[in-house]
């Protein structure tokens, strides 16, 4: 975040930002993270509202912090607002992006879930829920794989892979508290061991 | 784990219970909440069984929006309608959001420190393992899948190859692979 961006946002710009996130929300099958490429195009390349390093830091910090990953969207809104003024515009940016990314998808999910639950005894509904199970589990392994490989992409290090695999086995087979493992991971990383 | 000691027996007491439960959940979930949600709701609170969890998650996954947020919304809505859905959603987002903004302000001051980047990387590796472990735990449910264990595992492996290894877009993999799996399951289960 060395290079600073300074600009002002008109109401039309805020509206544009809001509309963009409403649209991304509808496209975000598989989670908001699956639309990050599109966010990068819009925020960094097209409008220059974020620097590339602000964009990457928004994702990295949200990944490392507690809470759902979608909060990286809030950090992007925060940084856009900060670039466009100060604390108050930053908070407004959080509001615009988070409401935008959540409103369409939550409404649709709520309605679909209510319908599905009312009709849960129908054969197609049962077939869908049960039939999707192997794919759902496959997606979990894929996410794990993607995260592990994107971590080690800059460093190409087998140590990060090893850490991820050991962590998986320990969590699978023991009852060690997750925070302890994260702390160990943070310390190993801090001292450059992994 | 036998199915007998993995029955859902309990449920949230009130929307407030949902709010606080999901707030606590979200605060424990570094690098994604899903693994913690599974552990907490299925194995500790027992609001749902592993099978129910996967079923709900299939819907949460197929709908647009963050999966974990969708899941919270659906569980809240199941017990207390719209009030419950909003309570669970608010619990998932509010406190973690405030915390995250504080972290971002702090980070802006210390961004240059090399140890910090290393620590983020180390935590990322553990988080990746965490999600893999969740997959391993849930994979035990494939033993009793209507398609039979072998075929169910086969679909799981194919899905991993398509999405994890080849990075094919979900919008193709889910309808094709998921569609075939659902169709075969439809034929297997009793009307």
């Amino acid at each position: 975040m060395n290079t600073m961006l300074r600009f002002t946002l008109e109401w039309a710009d805020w509206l544009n930002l809001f509309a963009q996130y409403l649209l991304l929300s509808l496209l975000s099958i598989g989670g908001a993270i699956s639309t990050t490429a599109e966010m990068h195009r819009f925020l960094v390349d097209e409008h220059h509202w974020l620097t590339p390093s602000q964009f990457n830091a928004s994702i990295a910090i949200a990944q490392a912090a507690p809470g759902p990953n979608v909060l990286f969207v809030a950090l992007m809104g925060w940084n856009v607002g900060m670039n466009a003024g100060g604390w108050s515009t930053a908070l407004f940016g959080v509001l615009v992006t988070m409401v935008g990314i959540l409103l369409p998808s939550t409404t649709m999910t709520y309605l679909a879930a209510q319908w599905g639950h009312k009709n849960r005894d129908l054969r197609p509904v049962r077939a869908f829920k049960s039939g999707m199970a192997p794919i759902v589990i496959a997606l979990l392994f894929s996410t794990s794989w993607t995260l592990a490989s994107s971590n080690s992409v800059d460093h190409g290090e087998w140590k990060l892979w090893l850490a991820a695999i050991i962590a998986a086995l320990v969590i699978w087979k023991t009852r060690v508290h997750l925070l302890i493992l994260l702390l160990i991971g943070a310390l190993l990383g801090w001292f450059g061991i992994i | 784990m036998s199915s007998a000691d993995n029955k859902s027996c309990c449920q949230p007491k009130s929307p407030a219970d949902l709010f606080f439960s999901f707030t606590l959940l979200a605060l424990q979930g570094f690098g994604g909440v899903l693994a913690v949600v599974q552990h907490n709701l299925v194995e500790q609170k027992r609001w749902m069984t592993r099978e129910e969890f996967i079923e709900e998650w299939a819907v949460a996954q197929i709908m647009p929006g963050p999966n974990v947020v969708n899941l919270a919304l659906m569980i809240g809505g199941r017990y207390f309608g719209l009030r419950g859905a909003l309570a669970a959603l608010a619990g998932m987002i509010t406190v973690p959001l405030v915390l995250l903004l504080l972290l971002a302000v702090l980070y802006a001051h210390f961004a240059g420190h090399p140890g910090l980047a290393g620590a983020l990387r180390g935590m990322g590796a553990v988080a990746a393992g965490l999600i893999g472990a969740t997959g391993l735990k849930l994979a035990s449910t494939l033993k009793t899948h209507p398609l039979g264990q072998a075929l169910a595992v086969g679909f799981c492996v194919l899905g991993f190859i398509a999405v994890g290894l080849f990075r094919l877009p979900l919008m193709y993999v889910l309808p094709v692979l998921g569609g075939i799996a659902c169709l075969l399951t439809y034929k297997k289960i009793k009307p």
Side-chain angles (χ1 to χ4, degrees):
Chain A
M1 291 190 227
N2 306 320
T3 49
M4 290 292 285
L5 289 172
R6 278 275 149 238
F7 51 84
T8 49
L9 289 178
E10 308 295 332
W11 282 108
D13 295 321
W14 286 115
L15 215 60
N16 190 3
L17 183 67
F18 186 57
Q20 173 75 10
Y21 274 89
L22 286 177
L23 179 70
L24 287 178
S25 176
L26 290 176
L27 296 176
S28 63
I29 292 171
I33 203 86
S34 61
T35 62
T36 41
E38 177 60 21
M39 287 183 197
H40 191 276
R41 190 194 63 72
F42 182 84
L43 294 172
V44 179
D45 304 336
E46 189 177 318
H47 290 281
H48 306 289
W49 287 339
L50 284 184
T51 65
S53 59
Q54 278 179 326
F55 188 91
N56 287 343
S58 297
I59 296 177
I61 296 173
Q63 290 272 9
N69 287 337
V70 65
L71 292 177
F72 79 87
V73 169
L75 274 192
M76 290 182 184
W78 172 267
N79 284 323
V80 169
M82 266 298 180
N83 293 341
W87 297 92
S88 55
T89 42
L91 282 175
F92 189 62
V94 170
L95 193 71
V96 167
T97 51
M98 279 306 280
V99 173
I101 200 77
L102 288 178
L103 192 60
S105 64
T106 50
T107 308
M108 283 179 61
T109 301
Y110 181 74
L111 295 177
Q114 295 293 93
W115 182 88
H117 192 59
K118 272 196 202 84
N119 298 287
R120 62 185 173 282
D121 295 328
L122 289 182
R123 195 171 164 202
V125 174
R126 282 189 295 144
F128 168 76
K129 288 185 164 181
S130 180
M132 287 303 287
I135 319 291
V136 164
I137 295 167
L139 291 180
L140 271 178
F141 288 128
S142 303
T143 305
S144 172
W145 179 266
T146 310
L147 280 181
S149 49
S150 73
N151 271 325
S152 41
V153 89
D154 296 336
H155 304 265
E157 280 182 34
W158 55 271
K159 289 185 214 158
L160 282 170
W161 279 100
L162 191 64
I165 291 168
I166 291 175
L169 293 177
V170 168
I171 296 162
W172 184 31
K173 286 295 175 194
T174 72
R175 296 194 164 270
V176 177
H177 203 285
L178 300 176
L179 284 180
I180 295 174
L181 289 176
L182 280 160
L183 186 67
I184 294 172
L187 286 175
L188 290 176
W190 179 278
F191 293 110
I193 299 167
I194 56 174
Chain B
M1 185 177 281
S2 72
S3 60
D5 58 343
N6 194 29
K7 282 221 174 68
S8 69
C9 60
C10 321
Q11 49 171 287
K13 290 190 272 295
S14 62
D17 185 15
L18 281 167
F19 177 86
F20 290 116
S21 296
F22 277 105
T23 298
L24 283 179
L25 266 183
L27 289 178
Q28 292 171 57
F30 290 80
V33 188
L34 181 76
V36 186
V37 173
Q38 195 276 137
H39 182 71
N40 194 300
L41 294 192
V42 179
E43 279 157 44
Q44 288 179 340
K45 286 183 189 286
R46 301 215 186 166
W47 287 355
M48 56 210 313
T49 63
R50 283 184 181 184
E51 285 79 8
E52 285 168 344
F53 180 82
I54 296 185
E55 290 177 0
E56 299 293 301
W57 203 52
V59 180
Q61 176 85 47
I62 206 91
M63 296 304 292
N67 307 327
V68 181
V69 171
N70 284 348
L71 193 68
L73 199 77
M74 289 163 56
I75 294 170
R78 162 79 52 90
Y79 294 108
F80 296 102
L82 189 58
R83 275 192 318 149
L86 290 176
L89 180 67
M92 202 66 150
I93 300 265
T94 317
V95 178
L97 178 58
V98 173
L99 210 77
L100 180 63
L101 294 180
L102 290 176
L103 271 181
V105 173
L106 271 180
Y107 177 81
H109 286 279
F110 300 106
H113 198 290
L116 199 63
L120 282 179
R121 208 166 60 237
M123 289 169 76
V126 175
L130 175 60
I131 295 176
T134 309
L136 288 172
K137 282 182 190 169
L138 292 180
S140 69
T141 64
L142 293 180
K143 277 183 210 149
T144 52
H145 197 277
L147 288 176
Q149 186 178 6
L151 197 53
V153 170
F155 271 109
C156 187
V157 170
L158 271 180
F160 174 74
I161 292 173
V163 178
L165 297 185
F166 288 106
R167 304 277 160 98
L168 299 180
L170 276 186
M171 58 178 290
Y172 302 123
V173 177
L174 282 185
V176 175
L177 211 55
I180 298 171
C182 289
L183 214 71
L184 291 178
T185 308
Y186 182 84
K187 288 187 174 168
K188 289 269 180 191
I189 58 178
K190 290 191 182 77

